[in-house]
Amino acid sequence: MVEPKDRIRDEDAKGRADGRALDLRGLKCPLPALRTEKALGRCEPGAELLVLADDPLARLDIAHLCRESGHELRAVEDLPDGGWRFRIRRAQSLR
């Protein structure tokens, strides 16, 4: 199993927004959503965060997190090796 990289990384951001990405590939539910929530809490309001995840429930959990917390889920893109790249804009204020 690949060790997940639970940290903000510039190289995964592909030059978008403020260059912040969270690589959560290899983690299983509910960790991708929990760590995404924690990372968004550390971001400035309006900042964009890219999240890489491959757990099948991440699509549902991260979308639900965004809906419930007021964050904007701007895009969900398929990754070539499986999983998704989520583009999330942090809410101006946390609910």
Side-chain angles (χ1 to χ4, degrees):
M1 182 166 106
V2 174
E3 181 66 25
K5 296 159 230 42
D6 183 17
R7 64 180 187 269
I8 302 298
R9 296 174 26 164
D10 290 335
E11 61 268 23
D12 289 331
K14 307 240 186 264
R16 295 187 188 161
D18 62 358
R20 295 171 60 95
L22 187 62
D23 187 344
L24 302 175
R25 292 174 289 187
L27 293 178
K28 299 297 178 201
C29 181
L31 292 176
L34 293 174
R35 292 190 182 178
T36 297
E37 181 177 36
K38 184 176 179 180
L40 285 165
R42 294 188 310 254
C43 291
E44 294 293 323
E48 188 171 282
L49 176 69
L50 297 179
V51 177
L52 308 178
D54 57 4
D55 180 68
L57 292 176
R59 280 190 74 122
L60 297 171
D61 291 344
I62 291 175
H64 179 75
L65 165 69
C66 291
R67 224 178 8 262
E68 292 296 311
S69 301
H71 304 300
E72 179 186 355
L73 181 57
R74 300 190 58 164
V76 179
E77 304 163 351
D78 290 332
L79 295 174
D81 57 346
W84 303 274
R85 178 183 294 117
F86 301 88
R87 292 179 50 208
I88 304 168
R89 183 173 306 277
R90 186 194 184 273
Q92 293 299 318
S93 62
L94 296 177
R95 293 182 186 170

Coordinates of all heavy atoms in Angstrom, one line a residue:
M1 N 0.8 -1.2 0.0 CA 0.0 0.0 0.0 C 0.9 1.2 0.0 O 1.9 1.3 0.7 CB -0.9 0.0 1.2 CG -1.8 1.2 1.3 SD -3.1 1.0 2.5 CE -2.6 2.1 3.7
V2 N 0.5 2.2 -0.8 CA 1.2 3.5 -0.8 C 0.9 4.3 0.4 O -0.3 4.4 0.8 CB 0.8 4.2 -2.1 CG1 1.5 5.6 -2.2 CG2 1.2 3.4 -3.4
E3 N 1.9 4.9 1.0 CA 1.7 5.7 2.2 C 1.1 7.1 1.7 O 1.6 7.7 0.8 CB 3.1 6.0 2.8 CG 2.9 6.9 4.1 CD 2.2 6.2 5.2 OE1 2.2 4.9 5.3 OE2 1.7 6.9 6.1
P4 N -0.1 7.4 2.3 CA -0.7 8.7 1.9 C 0.1 9.9 2.3 O 0.8 9.9 3.2 CB -2.1 8.7 2.6 CG -1.9 7.7 3.7 CD -0.8 6.7 3.3
K5 N 0.0 10.9 1.5 CA 0.8 12.1 1.7 C -0.2 13.2 2.2 O -0.8 13.9 1.4 CB 1.5 12.6 0.4 CG 2.5 11.6 0.0 CD 2.8 11.8 -1.5 CE 2.7 10.6 -2.3 NZ 1.7 9.6 -2.2
D6 N -0.4 13.2 3.5 CA -1.4 14.2 4.1 C -0.6 15.5 4.4 O -0.3 15.8 5.5 CB -1.9 13.6 5.4 CG -3.0 14.5 6.0 OD1 -3.5 15.4 5.3 OD2 -3.3 14.3 7.1
R7 N -0.4 16.2 3.3 CA 0.3 17.5 3.5 C 0.0 18.4 2.2 O -0.4 17.8 1.2 CB 1.8 17.4 3.6 CG 2.5 16.8 2.5 CD 4.0 16.7 2.8 NE 4.7 16.2 1.6 CZ 5.0 15.0 1.3 NH1 4.6 14.0 2.1 NH2 5.6 14.7 0.2
I8 N 0.1 19.6 2.3 CA -0.1 20.5 1.2 C 1.1 20.4 0.3 O 2.3 20.5 0.8 CB -0.3 22.0 1.7 CG1 -1.5 22.0 2.7 CG2 -0.5 22.9 0.6 CD1 -2.8 21.6 2.1
R9 N 0.9 20.2 -1.0 CA 2.0 20.1 -1.9 C 1.8 21.0 -3.1 O 0.7 21.0 -3.7 CB 2.1 18.6 -2.4 CG 2.4 17.7 -1.3 CD 2.3 16.3 -1.8 NE 2.6 16.1 -3.2 CZ 2.9 15.0 -3.8 NH1 3.0 13.9 -3.1 NH2 3.0 14.9 -5.0
D10 N 2.8 21.7 -3.6 CA 2.7 22.5 -4.7 C 2.7 21.7 -6.0 O 2.1 22.1 -7.0 CB 3.9 23.5 -4.8 CG 3.8 24.6 -3.7 OD1 2.6 24.8 -3.2 OD2 4.8 25.1 -3.3
E11 N 3.5 20.6 -6.1 CA 3.6 20.0 -7.4 C 2.4 19.3 -7.9 O 2.2 19.1 -9.1 CB 4.8 18.9 -7.3 CG 4.5 17.8 -6.3 CD 5.1 18.1 -5.0 OE1 5.3 19.3 -4.6 OE2 5.4 17.2 -4.2
D12 N 1.4 19.1 -7.1 CA 0.1 18.5 -7.5 C -0.9 19.5 -8.0 O -1.9 19.2 -8.6 CB -0.5 17.7 -6.4 CG 0.2 16.4 -6.1 OD1 0.8 15.8 -7.1 OD2 0.2 15.9 -5.0
A13 N -0.6 20.8 -7.8 CA -1.6 21.8 -8.1 C -1.6 22.2 -9.5 O -2.6 22.8 -10.0 CB -1.3 23.1 -7.2
K14 N -0.6 21.9 -10.3 CA -0.6 22.2 -11.7 C -0.8 23.7 -12.0 O -1.5 24.1 -12.9 CB -1.6 21.3 -12.5 CG -1.4 19.9 -12.2 CD -1.2 19.1 -13.5 CE -1.2 17.7 -13.2 NZ 0.1 17.1 -13.0
G15 N -0.3 24.5 -11.1 CA -0.3 26.0 -11.3 C -1.7 26.6 -11.1 O -1.9 27.8 -11.5
R16 N -2.6 26.0 -10.5 CA -4.0 26.5 -10.4 C -4.1 27.3 -9.0 O -3.5 26.9 -8.1 CB -5.0 25.4 -10.4 CG -5.1 24.8 -11.7 CD -6.3 23.8 -11.7 NE -6.2 23.0 -12.9 CZ -6.8 21.9 -13.0 NH1 -7.5 21.4 -12.1 NH2 -6.7 21.2 -14.2
A17 N -4.9 28.3 -9.1 CA -5.3 29.0 -7.9 C -4.0 29.4 -7.0 O -3.1 29.9 -7.6 CB -6.3 28.3 -7.0
D18 N -4.0 29.1 -5.7 CA -2.9 29.4 -4.9 C -1.9 28.3 -4.8 O -1.0 28.3 -4.0 CB -3.4 29.9 -3.5 CG -4.1 28.8 -2.8 OD1 -4.3 27.7 -3.3 OD2 -4.5 29.1 -1.6
G19 N -2.0 27.3 -5.6 CA -1.0 26.2 -5.6 C -1.1 25.2 -4.5 O -0.1 24.7 -4.1
R20 N -2.2 25.1 -3.8 CA -2.3 24.2 -2.7 C -3.1 22.9 -3.1 O -4.1 22.9 -3.7 CB -3.1 24.9 -1.6 CG -2.3 26.1 -1.0 CD -3.1 26.9 -0.1 NE -3.5 26.1 1.1 CZ -2.9 26.1 2.2 NH1 -1.8 26.7 2.4 NH2 -3.4 25.3 3.2
A21 N -2.5 21.8 -2.7 CA -3.1 20.5 -3.0 C -2.9 19.5 -1.8 O -1.9 19.6 -1.1 CB -2.5 19.9 -4.3
L22 N -3.9 18.6 -1.6 CA -3.8 17.7 -0.6 C -3.9 16.3 -1.2 O -4.9 16.0 -1.9 CB -5.0 17.9 0.4 CG -5.0 17.1 1.7 CD1 -3.8 17.4 2.5 CD2 -6.3 17.5 2.4
D23 N -2.9 15.5 -1.1 CA -2.9 14.1 -1.7 C -3.3 13.1 -0.6 O -2.6 12.8 0.3 CB -1.4 13.9 -2.2 CG -1.4 12.6 -3.0 OD1 -2.3 11.8 -2.9 OD2 -0.4 12.4 -3.7
L24 N -4.5 12.6 -0.8 CA -5.1 11.7 0.1 C -5.3 10.3 -0.5 O -6.1 9.5 0.0 CB -6.4 12.2 0.7 CG -6.3 13.6 1.4 CD1 -7.7 14.1 1.8 CD2 -5.4 13.5 2.6
R25 N -4.6 10.0 -1.6 CA -4.7 8.7 -2.2 C -4.2 7.6 -1.3 O -3.2 7.8 -0.6 CB -4.0 8.7 -3.5 CG -4.6 9.6 -4.6 CD -3.8 9.7 -5.8 NE -2.6 10.5 -5.5 CZ -1.8 10.9 -6.4 NH1 -1.9 10.5 -7.7 NH2 -0.7 11.6 -6.1
G26 N -5.0 6.5 -1.2 CA -4.6 5.5 -0.3 C -5.4 5.5 1.0 O -5.4 4.5 1.7
L27 N -6.0 6.6 1.4 CA -6.8 6.6 2.6 C -8.2 6.1 2.3 O -8.8 6.3 1.2 CB -6.8 8.1 3.1 CG -5.5 8.6 3.6 CD1 -5.7 10.1 4.1 CD2 -4.9 7.8 4.8
K28 N -8.8 5.5 3.3 CA -10.2 5.0 3.2 C -11.1 5.9 4.0 O -10.7 6.5 5.0 CB -10.2 3.6 3.7 CG -9.4 2.6 2.9 CD -9.8 2.6 1.4 CE -8.9 1.7 0.6 NZ -9.0 2.0 -0.8
C29 N -12.4 5.8 3.7 CA -13.5 6.5 4.3 C -13.4 6.3 5.8 O -13.2 5.1 6.3 CB -14.8 6.0 3.8 SG -16.2 6.8 4.5
P30 N -13.6 7.3 6.6 CA -14.0 8.7 6.3 C -12.8 9.7 6.3 O -12.9 10.9 6.2 CB -14.8 9.1 7.5 CG -14.2 8.4 8.7 CD -13.7 7.1 8.1
L31 N -11.5 9.1 6.3 CA -10.4 10.0 6.4 C -10.2 11.0 5.3 O -9.9 12.2 5.5 CB -9.1 9.2 6.5 CG -9.0 8.4 7.8 CD1 -7.7 7.5 7.7 CD2 -8.9 9.3 9.0
P32 N -10.5 10.7 4.0 CA -10.4 11.8 3.0 C -11.3 13.0 3.3 O -10.8 14.2 3.2 CB -10.8 11.1 1.7 CG -10.4 9.7 1.9 CD -10.8 9.4 3.3
A33 N -12.5 12.8 3.7 CA -13.4 13.9 4.0 C -12.9 14.6 5.2 O -12.9 15.9 5.3 CB -14.8 13.4 4.1
L34 N -12.5 13.9 6.3 CA -12.1 14.5 7.5 C -10.8 15.4 7.3 O -10.7 16.5 7.8 CB -11.8 13.5 8.6 CG -13.1 12.7 9.1 CD1 -12.7 11.6 10.0 CD2 -14.1 13.7 9.7
R35 N -9.9 14.9 6.5 CA -8.7 15.6 6.3 C -8.9 16.8 5.4 O -8.2 17.8 5.5 CB -7.6 14.7 5.9 CG -7.2 13.7 7.0 CD -6.0 13.0 6.7 NE -5.7 12.1 7.8 CZ -4.7 11.2 7.9 NH1 -3.9 11.2 6.9 NH2 -4.5 10.4 8.9
T36 N -9.8 16.6 4.4 CA -10.2 17.8 3.6 C -10.8 18.9 4.4 O -10.4 20.1 4.2 CB -11.1 17.3 2.5 OG1 -10.5 16.3 1.6 CG2 -11.6 18.5 1.6
E37 N -11.7 18.5 5.3 CA -12.3 19.5 6.2 C -11.3 20.3 7.0 O -11.3 21.5 7.1 CB -13.3 18.8 7.1 CG -14.0 19.8 8.0 CD -15.1 19.1 8.8 OE1 -14.9 17.9 9.2 OE2 -16.1 19.7 9.1
K38 N -10.3 19.5 7.6 CA -9.3 20.1 8.4 C -8.4 21.1 7.5 O -8.1 22.2 7.9 CB -8.4 19.0 9.0 CG -7.3 19.5 9.9 CD -6.6 18.4 10.6 CE -5.5 18.8 11.5 NZ -4.8 17.7 12.1
A39 N -8.0 20.6 6.3 CA -7.2 21.5 5.4 C -8.0 22.7 5.0 O -7.4 23.8 5.0 CB -6.8 20.7 4.2
L40 N -9.2 22.6 4.7 CA -10.0 23.8 4.4 C -10.1 24.8 5.5 O -10.1 26.0 5.3 CB -11.4 23.4 3.9 CG -11.5 22.8 2.5 CD1 -12.8 22.1 2.3 CD2 -11.2 23.8 1.4
G41 N -10.1 24.3 6.7 CA -10.2 25.1 7.9 C -8.9 26.0 8.1 O -8.9 27.0 8.6
R42 N -7.8 25.5 7.5 CA -6.5 26.2 7.6 C -6.3 27.1 6.4 O -5.4 28.0 6.4 CB -5.3 25.2 7.6 CG -5.3 24.3 8.8 CD -4.0 23.5 8.8 NE -3.7 22.7 7.6 CZ -3.9 21.4 7.5 NH1 -4.3 20.7 8.5 NH2 -3.6 20.8 6.3
C43 N -7.2 27.0 5.4 CA -7.1 27.9 4.2 C -7.7 29.3 4.5 O -8.6 29.4 5.3 CB -7.8 27.3 3.0 SG -7.0 25.8 2.3
E44 N -7.3 30.2 3.7 CA -7.9 31.6 3.8 C -9.2 31.5 3.1 O -9.4 30.7 2.1 CB -7.0 32.6 3.1 CG -5.7 32.9 3.7 CD -5.8 33.5 5.1 OE1 -6.7 34.4 5.2 OE2 -5.1 33.2 6.0
P45 N -10.2 32.3 3.5 CA -11.5 32.3 2.8 C -11.3 32.7 1.3 O -10.5 33.5 1.0 CB -12.3 33.5 3.5 CG -11.7 33.5 4.9 CD -10.2 33.2 4.7
G46 N -12.0 31.9 0.5 CA -11.9 32.1 -1.0 C -10.8 31.4 -1.6 O -10.7 31.3 -2.8
A47 N -9.8 30.8 -0.8 CA -8.7 30.1 -1.4 C -9.2 28.8 -2.1 O -10.2 28.2 -1.7 CB -7.7 29.7 -0.3
E48 N -8.4 28.3 -3.1 CA -8.8 27.1 -3.7 C -7.8 26.0 -3.2 O -6.6 26.2 -3.1 CB -8.7 27.2 -5.2 CG -9.2 26.0 -6.0 CD -9.3 26.2 -7.5 OE1 -10.3 26.9 -7.9 OE2 -8.4 25.8 -8.2
L49 N -8.4 24.8 -3.0 CA -7.7 23.6 -2.6 C -7.9 22.5 -3.6 O -9.1 22.3 -3.9 CB -8.1 23.2 -1.2 CG -7.5 21.9 -0.6 CD1 -6.0 22.2 -0.3 CD2 -8.3 21.5 0.7
L50 N -6.9 21.8 -4.0 CA -7.0 20.6 -4.8 C -6.8 19.4 -3.9 O -5.9 19.4 -3.1 CB -6.0 20.6 -5.9 CG -6.1 21.7 -7.0 CD1 -4.9 21.6 -8.0 CD2 -7.4 21.8 -7.7
V51 N -7.7 18.5 -4.0 CA -7.7 17.3 -3.2 C -7.6 16.1 -4.2 O -8.5 15.9 -5.0 CB -8.9 17.2 -2.3 CG1 -8.9 15.9 -1.5 CG2 -9.0 18.4 -1.3
L52 N -6.6 15.2 -4.0 CA -6.5 14.0 -4.7 C -6.9 12.9 -3.8 O -6.5 12.7 -2.7 CB -5.1 13.8 -5.1 CG -4.4 14.9 -5.9 CD1 -3.0 14.5 -6.2 CD2 -5.2 15.3 -7.1
A53 N -7.9 12.0 -4.3 CA -8.4 10.9 -3.4 C -8.8 9.8 -4.4 O -9.2 10.0 -5.5 CB -9.6 11.4 -2.6
D54 N -8.7 8.6 -3.9 CA -9.1 7.4 -4.7 C -10.1 6.5 -4.0 O -10.4 5.5 -4.5 CB -7.9 6.7 -5.2 CG -6.9 6.2 -4.1 OD1 -7.3 6.4 -2.9 OD2 -5.9 5.6 -4.4
D55 N -10.5 6.8 -2.8 CA -11.5 6.0 -2.1 C -12.8 6.2 -2.8 O -13.2 7.3 -3.1 CB -11.6 6.4 -0.6 CG -12.7 5.6 0.1 OD1 -12.4 4.4 0.3 OD2 -13.7 6.1 0.4
P56 N -13.5 5.1 -3.1 CA -14.8 5.2 -3.9 C -15.8 6.1 -3.2 O -16.6 6.8 -3.8 CB -15.3 3.8 -3.9 CG -14.1 2.9 -3.8 CD -13.2 3.7 -2.9
L57 N -15.8 6.2 -1.8 CA -16.8 7.0 -1.1 C -16.4 8.5 -1.1 O -17.2 9.4 -0.7 CB -17.0 6.5 0.3 CG -17.8 5.2 0.3 CD1 -17.9 4.7 1.7 CD2 -19.1 5.3 -0.3
A58 N -15.2 8.8 -1.5 CA -14.7 10.2 -1.4 C -15.5 11.1 -2.3 O -15.8 12.3 -1.9 CB -13.2 10.3 -1.9
R59 N -16.0 10.6 -3.4 CA -16.8 11.5 -4.3 C -18.1 11.9 -3.6 O -18.5 13.1 -3.6 CB -17.2 10.7 -5.6 CG -16.2 10.7 -6.6 CD -16.7 10.2 -7.9 NE -17.6 11.1 -8.5 CZ -17.4 11.6 -9.7 NH1 -16.5 11.2 -10.5 NH2 -18.3 12.5 -10.2
L60 N -18.7 11.0 -2.9 CA -19.9 11.4 -2.1 C -19.6 12.2 -0.9 O -20.2 13.2 -0.6 CB -20.7 10.1 -1.7 CG -21.2 9.2 -2.8 CD1 -21.7 7.9 -2.2 CD2 -22.3 9.9 -3.6
D61 N -18.6 11.8 -0.1 CA -18.3 12.4 1.2 C -17.8 13.9 1.0 O -18.2 14.8 1.7 CB -17.2 11.6 1.9 CG -17.8 10.3 2.4 OD1 -19.0 10.1 2.5 OD2 -16.9 9.4 2.8
I62 N -16.9 14.1 0.0 CA -16.3 15.4 -0.2 C -17.4 16.4 -0.8 O -17.5 17.5 -0.4 CB -15.1 15.4 -1.1 CG1 -14.0 14.7 -0.2 CG2 -14.7 16.8 -1.5 CD1 -12.7 14.5 -1.0
A63 N -18.3 15.8 -1.7 CA -19.4 16.7 -2.2 C -20.3 17.0 -1.0 O -20.8 18.2 -0.9 CB -20.1 15.9 -3.2
H64 N -20.6 16.1 -0.1 CA -21.5 16.4 1.0 C -20.8 17.4 2.0 O -21.5 18.3 2.4 CB -21.8 15.1 1.8 CG -22.6 15.2 3.0 ND1 -24.0 15.5 2.9 CD2 -22.3 15.2 4.3 CE1 -24.5 15.6 4.1 NE2 -23.5 15.5 5.0
L65 N -19.5 17.2 2.2 CA -18.8 18.2 3.1 C -18.9 19.6 2.5 O -19.2 20.5 3.3 CB -17.3 17.8 3.2 CG -16.4 18.8 3.7 CD1 -16.6 19.1 5.2 CD2 -14.9 18.4 3.4
C66 N -18.7 19.7 1.2 CA -18.8 21.1 0.6 C -20.2 21.6 0.7 O -20.4 22.8 1.1 CB -18.4 21.0 -0.9 SG -16.6 20.6 -1.1
R67 N -21.2 20.8 0.4 CA -22.6 21.3 0.5 C -23.0 21.7 1.9 O -23.6 22.8 2.1 CB -23.5 20.1 0.1 CG -24.6 20.5 -0.8 CD -25.5 19.4 -1.3 NE -25.3 18.0 -0.7 CZ -24.6 17.1 -1.3 NH1 -24.0 17.3 -2.4 NH2 -24.5 15.9 -0.7
E68 N -22.6 20.9 2.9 CA -22.9 21.2 4.3 C -22.1 22.4 4.9 O -22.6 23.1 5.8 CB -22.7 20.0 5.2 CG -23.7 18.9 4.9 CD -25.1 19.2 5.2 OE1 -25.4 19.7 6.3 OE2 -26.0 19.0 4.3
S69 N -20.9 22.6 4.4 CA -20.1 23.7 5.0 C -20.1 24.9 4.2 O -19.4 25.9 4.6 CB -18.6 23.1 5.1 OG -18.6 22.0 5.9
G70 N -20.7 25.0 3.0 CA -20.8 26.2 2.2 C -19.6 26.4 1.3 O -19.5 27.4 0.7
H71 N -18.7 25.3 1.2 CA -17.6 25.4 0.2 C -18.1 25.2 -1.2 O -19.1 24.5 -1.4 CB -16.5 24.4 0.6 CG -16.0 24.5 2.0 ND1 -15.4 25.7 2.5 CD2 -16.0 23.6 3.0 CE1 -15.1 25.4 3.7 NE2 -15.4 24.2 4.1
E72 N -17.4 25.7 -2.2 CA -17.8 25.5 -3.6 C -17.0 24.3 -4.2 O -15.8 24.5 -4.3 CB -17.6 26.8 -4.4 CG -18.0 26.6 -5.8 CD -17.6 27.9 -6.6 OE1 -17.2 28.9 -6.0 OE2 -17.8 27.8 -7.8
L73 N -17.6 23.3 -4.6 CA -17.0 22.2 -5.3 C -17.0 22.6 -6.7 O -18.0 22.4 -7.4 CB -17.7 20.8 -5.0 CG -17.1 19.6 -5.7 CD1 -15.6 19.4 -5.3 CD2 -17.9 18.4 -5.4
R74 N -15.8 23.1 -7.2 CA -15.8 23.7 -8.5 C -15.6 22.6 -9.6 O -16.1 22.9 -10.7 CB -14.6 24.7 -8.6 CG -14.8 25.8 -7.5 CD -13.9 26.9 -7.7 NE -14.0 27.3 -9.1 CZ -13.6 28.5 -9.5 NH1 -12.9 29.3 -8.7 NH2 -13.8 28.8 -10.8
A75 N -14.9 21.5 -9.3 CA -14.8 20.5 -10.4 C -14.4 19.2 -9.7 O -13.7 19.2 -8.7 CB -13.7 20.9 -11.4
V76 N -14.7 18.1 -10.4 CA -14.3 16.8 -10.0 C -13.7 16.2 -11.3 O -14.5 16.0 -12.2 CB -15.4 15.9 -9.4 CG1 -14.8 14.5 -9.1 CG2 -16.0 16.5 -8.2
E77 N -12.4 15.9 -11.3 CA -11.8 15.4 -12.5 C -11.3 14.0 -12.2 O -10.7 13.7 -11.2 CB -10.6 16.3 -12.9 CG -11.0 17.7 -13.1 CD -9.9 18.7 -13.1 OE1 -8.7 18.3 -12.8 OE2 -10.1 19.9 -13.4
D78 N -11.4 13.1 -13.2 CA -10.9 11.7 -13.1 C -9.4 11.8 -13.2 O -8.8 12.5 -14.1 CB -11.4 10.8 -14.2 CG -12.9 10.5 -14.0 OD1 -13.4 10.5 -12.8 OD2 -13.6 10.3 -15.0
L79 N -8.7 11.0 -12.4 CA -7.2 10.9 -12.5 C -6.9 9.7 -13.4 O -7.6 8.7 -13.4 CB -6.6 10.7 -11.1 CG -6.7 11.9 -10.2 CD1 -6.2 11.5 -8.8 CD2 -6.0 13.1 -10.7
P80 N -5.8 9.8 -14.2 CA -5.5 8.7 -15.1 C -5.2 7.3 -14.5 O -5.5 6.3 -15.0 CB -4.3 9.2 -15.9 CG -3.9 10.4 -15.3 CD -4.9 10.9 -14.3
D81 N -4.7 7.4 -13.2 CA -4.4 6.1 -12.5 C -5.5 5.7 -11.5 O -5.2 4.9 -10.7 CB -3.0 6.3 -11.8 CG -3.0 7.4 -10.9 OD1 -3.8 8.3 -10.9 OD2 -2.0 7.5 -10.1
G82 N -6.6 6.3 -11.6 CA -7.7 6.0 -10.7 C -7.9 7.1 -9.7 O -6.9 7.7 -9.3
G83 N -9.1 7.3 -9.3 CA -9.4 8.4 -8.3 C -9.8 9.7 -8.9 O -10.0 9.7 -10.1
W84 N -9.8 10.7 -8.1 CA -10.3 12.0 -8.6 C -9.4 13.2 -8.1 O -8.8 13.1 -7.0 CB -11.7 12.2 -8.1 CG -12.6 11.1 -8.5 CD1 -13.3 11.0 -9.7 CD2 -12.9 9.9 -7.8 NE1 -14.0 9.8 -9.8 CE2 -13.7 9.1 -8.6 CE3 -12.5 9.4 -6.6 CZ2 -14.2 7.9 -8.2 CZ3 -13.0 8.2 -6.2 CH2 -13.8 7.5 -7.0
R85 N -9.5 14.3 -8.8 CA -9.0 15.5 -8.3 C -10.2 16.5 -8.1 O -10.9 16.7 -9.0 CB -8.0 16.2 -9.4 CG -7.5 17.5 -9.0 CD -6.6 18.2 -10.0 NE -5.4 17.4 -10.3 CZ -5.1 16.8 -11.4 NH1 -5.9 16.8 -12.4 NH2 -4.0 16.1 -11.5
F86 N -10.3 16.9 -6.8 CA -11.4 17.8 -6.5 C -10.9 19.2 -6.4 O -9.9 19.4 -5.7 CB -12.0 17.4 -5.1 CG -12.5 16.0 -5.0 CD1 -11.7 14.9 -4.7 CD2 -13.8 15.7 -5.3 CE1 -12.2 13.6 -4.6 CE2 -14.3 14.4 -5.2 CZ -13.5 13.4 -4.9
R87 N -11.5 20.1 -7.0 CA -11.2 21.6 -6.9 C -12.2 22.2 -6.0 O -13.4 22.3 -6.4 CB -11.2 22.2 -8.3 CG -10.0 21.7 -9.2 CD -10.0 22.3 -10.5 NE -10.1 23.8 -10.4 CZ -10.6 24.5 -11.4 NH1 -11.1 24.0 -12.5 NH2 -10.6 25.8 -11.2
I88 N -11.8 22.7 -4.9 CA -12.7 23.2 -3.9 C -12.3 24.7 -3.6 O -11.1 24.9 -3.3 CB -12.7 22.4 -2.6 CG1 -13.0 20.9 -2.9 CG2 -13.7 23.0 -1.6 CD1 -12.7 20.0 -1.8
R89 N -13.3 25.6 -3.6 CA -13.0 27.0 -3.1 C -13.6 27.1 -1.7 O -14.8 26.8 -1.5 CB -13.7 28.0 -4.0 CG -13.4 29.4 -3.6 CD -13.8 30.5 -4.5 NE -13.4 30.3 -5.9 CZ -12.1 30.7 -6.3 NH1 -11.3 31.3 -5.5 NH2 -11.8 30.5 -7.6
R90 N -12.8 27.5 -0.8 CA -13.2 27.6 0.6 C -14.2 28.7 0.8 O -14.2 29.7 0.1 CB -12.0 27.9 1.5 CG -12.4 27.9 3.0 CD -11.3 28.6 3.8 NE -11.5 28.5 5.2 CZ -12.1 29.4 5.9 NH1 -12.7 30.4 5.3 NH2 -12.2 29.3 7.2
A91 N -15.2 28.4 1.6 CA -16.3 29.4 1.9 C -15.7 30.6 2.5 O -14.6 30.6 3.2 CB -17.3 28.7 2.8
Q92 N -16.4 31.7 2.4 CA -16.0 33.0 3.0 C -16.0 32.9 4.6 O -15.2 33.5 5.2 CB -16.8 34.2 2.5 CG -16.6 34.5 1.0 CD -15.1 34.9 0.8 OE1 -14.5 35.6 1.5 NE2 -14.6 34.3 -0.3
S93 N -17.0 32.2 5.0 CA -17.1 31.9 6.5 C -17.5 30.5 6.7 O -18.2 29.9 5.9 CB -18.1 32.9 7.1 OG -19.4 32.6 6.6
L94 N -17.0 29.9 7.8 CA -17.4 28.5 8.1 C -18.7 28.4 8.8 O -19.0 29.2 9.7 CB -16.3 27.8 8.9 CG -14.9 27.7 8.1 CD1 -13.9 27.1 9.1 CD2 -15.0 26.9 6.9
R95 N -19.5 27.4 8.5 CA -20.8 27.3 9.1 C -20.6 26.5 10.4 O -19.8 25.7 10.6 CB -21.8 26.5 8.2 CG -22.2 27.3 7.0 CD -23.1 26.5 6.2 NE -23.4 27.2 4.9 CZ -24.0 26.7 3.9 NH1 -24.5 25.5 4.0 NH2 -24.2 27.3 2.8

